[in-house]
Amino acid sequence: QGSELAGWAMGRWTYEGIDLNHNFADLNTALWDAEDNDLVPHEFPNHYIPIPEYYTLANATVAPETRAVIAWMQRFPFVLSANLHGGELVVTYPFDMTRTYWKAQELTPTPDDGVFRWLATVYATANLAMASGDRRRCHYDDFARLGNVINGANWHTVAGSMNDFSYLHTNCFEITVELSCDKFPHASELPQEWENNRESLLLFMEQVHRGIKGVVRDSDTEQGIPNAIISVDGINHDVRT
């Protein structure tokens, strides 16, 4: 069809008809229900939220690719991630799902909203296409006036996104980067796409060194302590060693 003629849905679904972007377990609803009932964090965790039983059943509509990614995330303790999309020029950050279930758009920040906005802004300001004074709108939304970043739920609600799942099920802070107005660039355009994103990718990876890092040790044996829960005052989202 040519890159300019492909619609937003082209290439979105797997052969089995599953949209991998929305195929992760919805952990948001369980967390928010628990918060509304004052169960967090004493009876329901505010992090490392377990995967619901229905999602693990053999007949659940979960793609093998999704199961493989979840197993990968559980095996390796990632802390920073970005998934790359096309069709817009904007960086989105969690939450991707609106807290008011019937709203299509609603600002829904995480307890770590400041960190997420920083990560998104770091990528967007170093991206040559996003930062260009000559950039045009891709479609209807003028993301340039927002600094080319937006809370995912405030753009359009998505249940079961990888960003929300990463944040609620693991220690990983993940954002989505919409790389280009053109969802399917021509081969001749790829070198420029690389130049547009090279510095952004490097700068984003460097952010892994921000904040507190180190090893939690037993004061007597000096051995590292796995699964120690670290809480920060004022942030209702813990992390684990």
Side-chain angles (χ1 to χ4, degrees):
Q1 287 184 304
S3 56
E4 292 83 6
L5 299 178
W8 68 270
M10 178 65 65
R12 191 175 182 93
W13 285 276
T14 65
Y15 180 79
E16 292 83 8
I18 296 175
D19 181 353
L20 297 178
N21 288 303
H22 305 171
N23 195 223
F24 290 82
D26 168 19
L27 306 180
N28 305 54
T29 300
L31 172 65
W32 294 335
D33 285 348
E35 287 181 346
D36 291 342
N37 290 294
D38 295 323
L39 301 177
V40 178
H42 307 294
E43 297 181 48
F44 191 92
N46 65 9
H47 71 299
Y48 271 50
I49 296 173
I51 297 174
E53 184 178 354
Y54 74 84
Y55 188 85
T56 63
L57 298 176
N59 62 350
T61 309
V62 183
E65 295 93 337
T66 311
R67 294 190 190 277
V69 168
I70 291 174
W72 187 47
M73 294 162 69
Q74 292 172 335
R75 183 179 175 190
F76 295 97
F78 297 114
V79 295
L80 184 67
S81 177
N83 58 75
L84 308 179
H85 295 220
E88 257 297 353
L89 268 176
V90 69
V91 182
T92 76
Y93 55 90
F95 286 117
D96 287 332
M97 180 181 176
T98 56
R99 182 152 187 165
T100 307
Y101 75 92
W102 50 267
K103 286 191 175 181
Q105 293 175 301
E106 180 184 45
L107 179 64
T108 311
T110 68
D112 290 288
D113 188 57
V115 175
F116 275 116
R117 285 188 289 108
W118 170 262
L119 292 172
T121 300
V122 162
Y123 198 102
T125 53
N127 180 278
L128 297 183
M130 294 184 196
S132 171
D134 298 325
R135 70 153 293 188
R136 59 179 176 83
R137 295 185 190 182
C138 290
H139 304 291
Y140 304 107
D141 298 300
D142 184 8
F143 291 115
R145 66 181 179 84
L146 303 175
N148 301 301
V149 304
I150 192 170
N151 171 251
N154 208 26
W155 182 19
H156 58 263
T157 186
V158 170
S161 78
M162 187 172 173
N163 288 355
D164 289 4
F165 182 86
S166 294
Y167 180 67
L168 295 176
H169 186 64
T170 77
N171 282 338
C172 192
F173 283 42
E174 182 166 342
I175 62 173
T176 292
V177 182
E178 300 281 353
L179 294 168
S180 171
C181 293
D182 193 343
K183 199 172 181 71
F184 297 96
H186 293 290
S188 62
E189 297 172 305
L190 294 180
Q192 184 58 53
E193 293 292 346
W194 168 241
E195 289 302 322
N196 288 346
N197 289 279
R198 178 176 58 178
E199 187 61 28
S200 292
L201 290 164
L202 293 171
L203 201 59
F204 180 74
M205 286 190 285
E206 290 171 2
Q207 303 314 304
V208 78
H209 296 295
R210 283 192 171 269
I212 297 171
K213 56 184 177 178
V215 179
V216 176
R217 300 184 186 278
D218 184 293
S219 60
D220 295 324
T221 66
E222 293 297 312
Q223 295 298 305
I225 301 177
N227 295 313
I229 297 175
I230 301 170
S231 299
V232 179
D233 284 347
I235 298 179
N236 188 25
H237 180 83
D238 302 335
V239 296
R240 297 193 189 191
T241 58

